[in-house]
Amino acid sequence: MRRLIFYSGMRRCGALCPIFALARSAALWYAVYMEDKEFYERQAELARANAYAPYSGYSVGACVVCKDGAYYTGCNVENASYGATMCAERNAVAAAVAAGQREIEAVYLVSSGRDMPYPCGICRQVLAEFGNPSVFVRNADGRRDVATLAELLPNGFCLRK
Ligand code: THU
């Protein structure tokens, strides 16, 4: 709703001067983009609250955003056998794929610790299967970083489909 009010206000102003209209519409899309980023990061935060991480104590939440804007969340689920542990982003990717998605545009990751939750090697390879998403990470102190998957996984393995 906030967006709609903002948008109709901008359109009315834009009718007076086309240059202002252009500048305003750029500002609008930036505002919407920032609002979306906050929203998806918040969804990752909500998923993190359900993380099962009794062994590492490091909880992670993920929000995977697909081409059509639909999003899917996941958290890390650890296991006594350690090796059976599932990372947050891989669980979110599995949920997206189970819903019929095949193209991932962005991934938001938030962690409970000071270490930045960059995806592990396996998760990078799993994400590469479904596109070249922007990967947004945020740690417990609020420190943020962003990189494309291609930057995180140069020369990732792929087979022709
Ligand atoms: N972990 C994730 O869920 N995602 C990441 O991006 C990095 C690591 C989890 C796996 C394990 O439960 C814990 O963090 C410590 O490695």
Side-chain angles (χ1 to χ4, degrees), residues 66-82:
C66 296
K67 213 180 166 199
D68 59 1
Y71 65 92
Y72 304 85
T73 60
C75 60
N76 53 336
V77 180
E78 297 188 343
N79 188 272
S81 75
Y82 287 37

Side-chain angles (χ1 to χ4, degrees), residues 116-131:
M116 298 289 274
Y118 291 108
C120 74
I122 295 176
C123 287
R124 291 177 196 203
Q125 184 67 44
V126 168
L127 287 166
E129 190 73 23
F130 302 106

